[in-house]
Amino acid sequence: MQIISKQPNVGTTIFTVMSKLATDVGALNLAQGFPSFDCAPHLTDLVNFYMSKGHNQYAPMAGVPALREAISEKTANLYCVNYHPESEVTVVSGATEALYAAITAVVCPQDEVIIFEPAYDSYAPSVELNGGIPVYISLEPPHYQIDWNLVKEKISPKTKLIIVNTPHNPTGKLLTKSDLDQLANLVQNTNIFILSDEVYEHITFDGTPHLSVMMHPILQERAFICGSFGKTFHITGWKIGYCLAPKALSAEFRKAHQWITFSTNTPVQYALADYLKKPDFYLELPDFYQKKRDKFIDGIKDSRFSYVPAQGSFFQNLNYQAITEENDYNLAIRLTHEIGVASVPASVFYHQKNDYKILRFCFAKSDEILEKASARLSKL
Ligand code: GLN
């Protein structure tokens, strides 16, 4: 048998590569984005409770109604936008599925999809598997500002979708009101959809609020908004997220979702529906993660790295130009071996592997890990 790869240029993700290497050599893993600490015991108690009560069979395709209602209520409270739980909120198995289902729902062969780079690794392959063509717009450090005139130039009659991500992985940037206004001006009176990856919606710093794409009416009517409970409740391994979109878009989204996973695990949905009733946890998240960002930054303030503090997400990029000329991939591997600190080379987030001498560090780690890692980095 011969298999002709549909993704000949795709290998193992950098997150898997770096996490395996970190485990193999016993390094501190600041590479893959997941917390080194556990979720609240109350949340696991709730899952146990619902499992022992027999909620162990298929959930409804679109999600357990109580959870859809809780998501709709949280969204209305935070962003003053109403998504009907029955027809506009869909629970899925992680934001990765939400992204894939949204792309599958709208992208036809030869459609163009605008992707800003650096970009999360699943966007382009999801577009290509659907026969779409990624149209890349490359953003440059240190400010990764979007040039909306350039976006205008890249829009063609074939443009079907624009993907945005705020707070942004890997740069930690937030989209501003002006960004949203300019995006809205470009897509108004077109048939272009927006896919907004907002998995870090609850992780923003220095008092800057997260501006959701749904807050702009021209964007909201054409947007799929993807969220993930993994980031918000320290449960990346539970793989549960959701998509918010107007009724007609949600209907197409659900057609894709039902062939990808059909439905998402039941007891976790019931548990989250209860847990979401208390907003304290996610409202305290900015403060919790800002302390971690600041601890990490404070630890490397006397080092030779340069940086712009992350505005959101749980990633801090460090520029190492003053330390070595080495390419970022080799350096990330070498530092994992030699000083026992694993990171992600930022070039992997560009399709042409642009090397700006930047490493991405995840600071969703215990204070002890952050202190050890920053002390080792400071010696370079
Ligand atoms: N989102 C996480 C990161 O950026 C990793 C997710 C994954 O491993 N696929 O590190």
Side-chain angles (χ1 to χ4, degrees):
M1 285 296 295
Q2 200 191 358
I3 182 158
I4 296 170
S5 178
K6 293 177 72 177
Q7 303 181 81
N9 303 319
V10 170
T12 308
T13 80
I14 189 69
F15 312 118
T16 306
V17 170
M18 293 309 299
S19 277
K20 180 174 185 311
L21 181 62
T23 306
D24 288 352
V25 305
L28 303 169
N29 188 356
L30 276 67
Q32 195 174 19
F34 65 89
S36 72
F37 32 84
D38 211 351
C39 64
H42 181 50
L43 188 49
T44 46
D45 288 348
L46 283 170
V47 177
N48 286 333
F49 173 80
Y50 283 108
M51 278 184 172
S52 65
K53 286 281 170 205
H55 290 285
N56 297 308
Q57 309 310 328
Y58 292 127
M61 182 270 279
V64 163
L67 179 56
R68 282 187 270 149
E69 278 157 28
I71 294 168
S72 170
E73 209 174 297
K74 161 171 123 43
T75 307
N77 289 340
L78 289 173
Y79 308 114
C80 300
V81 181
N82 289 310
Y83 285 94
H84 200 290
E86 184 61 35
S87 54
E88 300 185 316
V89 179
T90 309
V91 178
V92 292
S93 301
T96 310
E97 193 206 332
L99 294 162
Y100 192 79
I103 289 167
T104 303
V106 296
V107 174
C108 301
Q110 303 308 314
D111 280 347
E112 293 181 357
V113 179
I114 293 184
I115 296 178
F116 297 99
E117 291 191 315
Y120 187 58
D121 64 348
S122 81
Y123 303 162
S126 303
V127 168
E128 286 170 337
L129 280 170
N130 280 287
I133 300 167
V135 174
Y136 296 102
I137 295 181
S138 189
L139 308 179
E140 303 218 336
H143 296 299
Y144 301 98
Q145 208 61 47
I146 297 177
D147 174 352
W148 291 103
N149 288 324
L150 180 61
V151 181
K152 190 176 179 185
E153 280 169 29
K154 295 275 185 178
I155 290 177
S156 84
K158 288 186 180 168
T159 306
K160 179 62 76 68
L161 180 69
I162 299 178
I163 304 179
V164 294
N165 170 211
T166 184
H168 190 264
N169 174 11
T171 67
K173 282 273 293 184
L174 302 182
L175 288 183
T176 62
K177 167 101 176 38
S178 159
D179 287 320
L180 297 187
D181 287 343
Q182 293 184 79
L183 177 58
N185 283 343
L186 292 181
V187 295
Q188 191 168 20
N189 303 321
T190 71
N191 283 322
I192 300 173
F193 295 98
I194 306 290
L195 174 53
S196 185
D197 179 347
E198 303 186 10
V199 300
Y200 300 102
E201 66 179 316
H202 297 298
I203 312 180
T204 66
F205 308 130
D206 306 313
T208 315
H210 164 62
L211 295 185
S212 173
V213 156
M214 74 176 82
M215 293 162 87
H216 200 300
I218 292 169
L219 299 177
Q220 191 273 340
E221 66 182 15
R222 62 188 68 242
F224 298 87
I225 314 275
C226 300
S228 172
F229 292 112
K231 316 293 170 185
T232 304
F233 296 131
H234 314 326
I235 49 169
T236 60
W238 292 9
K239 292 301 296 186
I240 178 161
Y242 55 91
C243 174
L244 305 171
K247 191 172 174 181
L249 278 64
S250 283
E252 286 303 313
F253 177 93
R254 287 176 182 184
K255 288 181 194 171
H257 161 66
Q258 68 183 347
W259 307 136
I260 302 173
T261 54
F262 178 69
S263 66
T264 294
N265 87 75
T266 309
V268 166
Q269 292 196 52
Y270 278 104
L272 285 169
D274 278 5
Y275 199 64
L276 275 174
K277 286 186 188 133
K278 270 185 61 178
D280 312 28
F281 188 88
Y282 58 79
L283 294 180
E284 286 161 12
L285 216 51
D287 188 46
F288 174 80
Y289 273 122
Q290 187 167 326
K291 289 198 177 102
K292 299 234 169 259
R293 180 201 66 174
D294 291 347
K295 178 166 268 305
F296 183 60
I297 284 179
D298 193 54
I300 49 115
K301 70 176 184 304
D302 297 325
S303 75
R304 291 194 287 164
F305 288 101
S306 63
Y307 56 85
V308 176
Q311 298 172 335
S313 84
F314 45 47
F315 302 109
Q316 179 62 52
N317 286 342
L318 299 183
N319 181 306
Y320 61 82
Q321 218 149 13
I323 298 172
T324 170
E325 301 253 287
E326 225 169 321
N327 77 47
D328 64 355
Y329 193 90
N330 288 351
L331 183 65
I333 303 278
R334 187 166 72 78
L335 293 186
T336 309
H337 283 285
E338 291 182 5
I339 66 165
V341 180
S343 59
V344 168
S347 60
V348 300
F349 298 102
Y350 291 90
H351 74 292
Q352 288 184 318
K353 307 288 171 256
N354 304 13
D355 179 13
Y356 295 108
K357 312 295 177 205
I358 287 171
L359 299 176
R360 187 199 78 172
F361 294 84
C362 172
F363 53 78
K365 306 292 165 186
S366 69
D367 288 355
E368 189 193 347
I369 293 177
L370 293 176
E371 278 160 23
K372 276 191 194 159
S374 53
R376 292 179 196 178
L377 292 168
S378 292
K379 291 199 188 114
L380 293 169

